[in-house]
Amino acid sequence: MPSYKAPVEDFLFLFHELLEIEKRTDLPGFAELTPDMTSAILEGGAKFCEEVLQPLNQSGDEEGCYLENGVVRTPKGFKEAFRAYADGGWNKLGVAEELGGANLPSVITFAFSEMGSSSNQAFAMYPGLTGAALGALWATGEDWMRQHVAQRMADGDWAGTMCLTEPHCGTDLKLMKTRAVKQDDGTYRITGTKIFISGGDQDITENIIHMVIAKLPNEEGKYVDDLSTVNFFMVPKMLVDPETGEIKGPNGVTCGSVEKKMGIKGNATCVLNFDNAVAYHLKGRAPEKKAEDGKVVKSKSAGMAGMFGMMNGARMGVGIQGIAAGEVAYQNGVAYATERLAGRALTGAKNPDGPADPIIVFPDVRRLLIASRSFVEGARALAMYVSFLFSVARSSPDEKERQEAEDLSQLFTPVIKAYFTDKGFEAANASMQVFGGHGYIRDNGMEQFVRDARINQVYEGANGIQALDLVARKMTMKGGRATLTFFGKLEAFIKENEGDAEMAPFIAPLKTGYARLGEAAGWLMQNAPRNYDNAGAASYDILNIFGTVTLAWMWAQMAKVAQAKLKAGTERPDFYKRKLTLARYWMEREVPMTAAWLERAKAGADGLMELDVANF
């Protein structure tokens, strides 16, 4: 049976030695994040994930979810685990104090999210999506929704979902057919079908709050393929009395089927049918403005801003699922490699008293494992940095710092979603390879890690779309301001450290990778306007360059901290020496790949687009 041990030590290193979060006393909630406090939270969360969630992972995969007489059944133990999750307060780490939450910064909540996904990704999606829906409802809902609905979600009595995708419509929201019709009482009625809804129905909670996007008619009363007509709604599975919060009976929302899928089988991925379902338009809690006629109106975009905020948070969460998949698979790969005996080391027996050496003596096995670990720890560093930026963007007293943090977090979001999930899948696959034929056998659990990791590259915006978003929107938004800010940080770090001989193994490769990223960005600026297909053709390669260089930046910073700790003397020399080894691996083995990606990007679109469709 596979195992999992939460990487608490690494999180504490990132919090207090790399990011030094406790020094940001100007940000709400950070002054309390002392090493003692964060250690207690992480160790408690680790214990829950290791002892409650992880043991249900393999059994949940075997049992799966199914529809029985109109009721979706989840695997044995999931309902009880969800209740224990809520009773332990793990679902309230980042929830507002008004709802009984701890209102902790996102660095804490995303750290716990990684641990939960490593231990049981299918389960972690239920509270994860509930948290995303709760955040959107808290930001956009009316007072009665906050009081009666949000509170029940925060208490773990009700769950939440995101309902976006339709059978014919995924990324292109303007093609959706789900319609909303306004009623005389101010509510709406929604009709349509949504698919691939994670946690769309289940037997875990007594109610499910669906956050739904649907179309309203245009000014002429027609439903048209126009993004401006797409709006955000709350649709409860069970109707809620706005006055009392009591459940009044079923709404017009039913589960048509539960998808039979490749992985995350413990999560109920549903087809949901909305048949004249009662819905509530989420217009947002933006400041009210007076129109020319004196009437008070709210910003029309506020509700949709809440929806996009929910989606961006979900993309960050999926990127962290990529880290989580790589972490747990790596841990089990190492355990197997140190126990499995086969052959002798190329430089002579390392286990002379045994019949053979453990396979970890072989360079290629080490390649598979070190590649995984260097990605996981570098990606975790970037994820925690961006999580910290979320807090800075929201609460910093310095307007310029808020702007910079907002720009960078938006820039890094598609990288985290796409690059992390690609590399996380590679890491899971690599650790399965360490097992050889035993990795292909279900009992060992490795093939489940690979299957579960595969969805991360697909949902919340397929990775090719994320790559296009990076080059076509995020790198160019506001005149390229975010990109220039990031480049400025790279240049400043390189300049500050390139005279340090001990940092040379990390600065020289970073400088080379940065030069290639800059060249790729320059090529894009020159060639995309001539032919927009050039941007699409180069996008995935530029994503890989961007991700590799960004992690090189994180590794160089971690190497600097590790060197300082070793110089000063430490009780954990092995921990910091390992950081330096992994940093060197990234610089020596991963950064050189940027040269190939640069050449591929500069090849342009001709080789991809010239083949006639009939000849595919």
Side-chain angles (χ1 to χ4, degrees):
M1 183 176 180
S3 61
Y4 171 66
K5 183 70 174 175
V8 172
E9 184 181 35
D10 200 40
F11 280 119
L12 293 175
F13 164 78
L14 296 174
F15 289 168
H16 302 294
E17 297 177 51
L18 181 69
L19 299 176
E20 299 182 316
I21 59 174
E22 71 277 13
K23 293 183 178 180
R24 290 305 303 263
T25 56
D26 58 325
L27 299 177
F30 276 77
E32 292 78 25
L33 295 183
T34 62
D36 287 344
M37 174 64 79
T38 55
S39 179
I41 295 170
L42 292 174
E43 288 174 3
K47 181 179 174 67
F48 183 85
C49 292
E50 294 162 5
E51 296 181 1
V52 178
L53 301 187
Q54 193 276 333
L56 295 174
N57 191 41
Q58 202 167 17
S59 62
D61 179 68
E62 292 287 345
E63 186 178 344
C65 300
Y66 57 95
L67 183 61
E68 180 183 62
N69 298 324
V71 179
V72 174
R73 302 297 184 187
T74 54
K76 291 181 179 65
F78 273 44
K79 182 175 184 177
E80 294 77 9
F82 190 93
R83 189 67 260 164
Y85 190 102
D87 289 345
W90 302 114
N91 64 324
K92 288 187 175 181
L93 291 177
V95 171
E97 293 178 357
E98 295 96 314
L99 295 173
N103 199 29
L104 290 171
S106 52
V107 287
I108 300 296
T109 59
F110 278 121
F112 182 75
S113 176
E114 185 199 314
M115 295 191 295
S117 293
S118 280
S119 58
N120 192 329
Q121 180 173 330
F123 174 90
M125 292 168 65
Y126 291 110
L129 286 164
T130 299
L134 170 59
L137 189 63
W138 188 251
T140 63
E142 296 178 24
D143 289 341
W144 74 266
M145 299 177 193
R146 283 184 153 206
Q147 179 182 355
H148 297 309
V149 180
Q151 186 65 65
R152 299 297 295 277
M153 295 172 77
D155 291 341
D157 299 327
W158 297 355
T161 72
M162 296 167 52
C163 298
L164 284 70
T165 305
E166 300 185 7
H168 55 281
C169 165
T171 302
D172 194 351
L173 299 181
K174 70 177 182 293
L175 299 180
M176 68 167 37
K177 295 180 180 178
T178 300
R179 297 182 175 186
V181 179
K182 191 171 184 179
Q183 307 298 300
D184 292 339
D185 63 359
T187 64
Y188 289 74
R189 294 295 180 117
I190 281 185
T191 300
T193 297
K194 299 290 185 177
I195 64 170
F196 304 154
I197 308 306
S198 301
D201 204 351
Q202 34 80 356
D203 57 358
I204 293 173
T205 61
E206 63 178 342
N207 202 0
I208 304 172
I209 305 303
H210 301 294
M211 309 299 282
V212 183
I213 53 174
K215 283 185 176 178
L216 288 173
N218 63 11
E219 293 180 355
E220 298 176 356
K222 297 179 179 179
Y223 291 90
V224 296
D225 293 341
D226 190 325
L227 192 60
S228 66
T229 66
V230 176
N231 281 260
F232 197 33
F233 298 86
M234 181 194 81
V235 185
K237 175 186 175 181
M238 304 295 290
L239 291 169
V240 180
D241 187 324
E243 297 293 330
T244 66
E246 295 179 355
I247 289 179
K248 299 167 60 178
N251 198 1
V253 186
T254 57
C255 176
S257 65
V258 176
E259 301 289 2
K260 297 176 176 64
K261 55 190 186 293
M262 178 178 177
I264 55 169
K265 294 183 178 182
N267 193 273
T269 304
C270 300
V271 174
L272 291 184
N273 297 316
F274 295 83
D275 185 10
N276 209 33
V278 176
Y280 301 89
H281 194 193
L282 297 171
K283 299 179 181 180
R285 302 180 66 85
E288 296 178 338
K289 300 178 181 179
K290 286 189 176 181
E292 292 182 1
D293 59 4
K295 293 182 179 179
V296 176
V297 296
K298 290 185 178 180
S299 168
K300 293 181 179 180
S301 64
M304 289 302 288
M307 187 273 288
F308 284 118
M310 180 177 69
M311 290 175 62
N312 285 334
R315 286 168 182 160
M316 178 76 174
V318 171
I320 288 176
Q321 286 179 340
I323 303 172
E327 173 67 44
V328 67
Y330 162 83
Q331 288 187 19
N332 286 272
V334 169
Y336 185 80
T338 56
E339 296 172 358
R340 173 70 168 177
L341 302 181
R344 291 295 187 187
L346 303 178
T347 54
K350 302 296 189 259
N351 180 32
D353 296 332
D357 287 335
I359 62 173
I360 200 166
V361 303
F362 297 110
D364 194 60
V365 172
R366 286 174 168 253
R367 172 186 65 84
L368 293 169
L369 294 172
I370 292 179
S372 298
R373 183 150 194 173
S374 63
F375 156 69
V376 164
E377 293 192 13
R380 181 179 294 128
L382 180 60
M384 292 301 99
Y385 171 62
V386 175
S387 300
F388 169 71
L389 290 179
F390 289 162
S391 294
V392 174
R394 183 170 53 252
S395 305
S396 173
D398 186 320
E399 182 179 355
K400 182 178 180 181
E401 188 184 38
R402 289 199 307 273
Q403 174 190 292
E404 180 181 282
E406 175 68 19
D407 287 349
L408 289 175
S409 59
Q410 287 194 39
L411 177 66
F412 290 137
T413 293
V415 178
I416 287 174
K417 195 285 172 185
Y419 183 71
F420 283 16
T421 57
D422 278 352
K423 296 290 285 186
F425 177 76
E426 287 180 19
N429 204 35
S431 293
M432 178 177 163
Q433 183 73 13
V434 170
F435 275 70
H438 294 284
Y440 208 65
I441 304 302
R442 296 187 73 172
D443 288 351
N444 293 309
M446 299 305 293
E447 55 86 35
Q448 182 190 348
F449 295 144
V450 174
R451 287 187 288 107
D452 286 354
R454 189 59 184 86
I455 186 58
N456 300 330
Q457 297 167 281
V458 176
Y459 61 9
E460 294 307 328
N463 286 359
I465 294 293
Q466 298 299 316
L468 187 59
D469 180 51
L470 174 67
V471 303
R473 294 180 58 198
K474 299 300 169 52
M475 290 180 67
T476 59
M477 63 182 182
K478 299 173 184 175
R481 189 174 73 192
T483 303
L484 292 174
T485 297
F486 175 47
F487 285 3
K489 287 186 174 293
L490 286 175
E491 291 170 3
F493 183 81
I494 291 169
K495 184 177 181 180
E496 178 185 347
N497 294 281
E498 61 184 346
D500 185 340
E502 292 185 350
M503 285 291 290
F506 313 106
I507 296 301
L510 175 61
K511 191 173 183 178
T512 298
Y514 169 49
R516 290 171 182 152
L517 178 58
E519 185 175 349
W523 182 91
L524 190 68
M525 290 178 62
Q526 291 181 351
N527 291 275
R530 301 174 188 172
N531 180 357
Y532 290 138
D533 279 338
N534 282 330
S539 61
Y540 219 94
D541 297 305
I542 293 177
L543 169 76
N544 281 309
I545 298 171
F546 205 112
T548 303
V549 172
T550 305
L551 262 61
W553 178 49
M554 301 310 299
W555 270 121
Q557 293 178 70
M558 287 189 283
K560 185 174 182 179
V561 173
Q563 287 179 344
K565 291 291 181 179
L566 289 169
K567 280 184 181 179
T570 175
E571 296 178 355
R572 301 183 299 158
D574 289 345
F575 177 87
Y576 297 107
K577 288 177 182 177
R578 184 172 65 240
K579 286 290 183 187
L580 293 174
T581 298
L582 295 172
R584 283 197 299 272
Y585 175 89
W586 195 263
M587 301 301 180
E588 295 170 359
R589 300 296 183 102
E590 298 293 337
V591 173
M593 299 296 292
T594 57
W597 288 319
L598 176 60
E599 290 305 308
R600 285 163 54 107
K602 290 163 59 178
D606 291 347
L608 294 177
M609 306 306 293
E610 67 182 11
L611 191 62
D612 188 81
V613 173
N615 291 322
F616 267 82

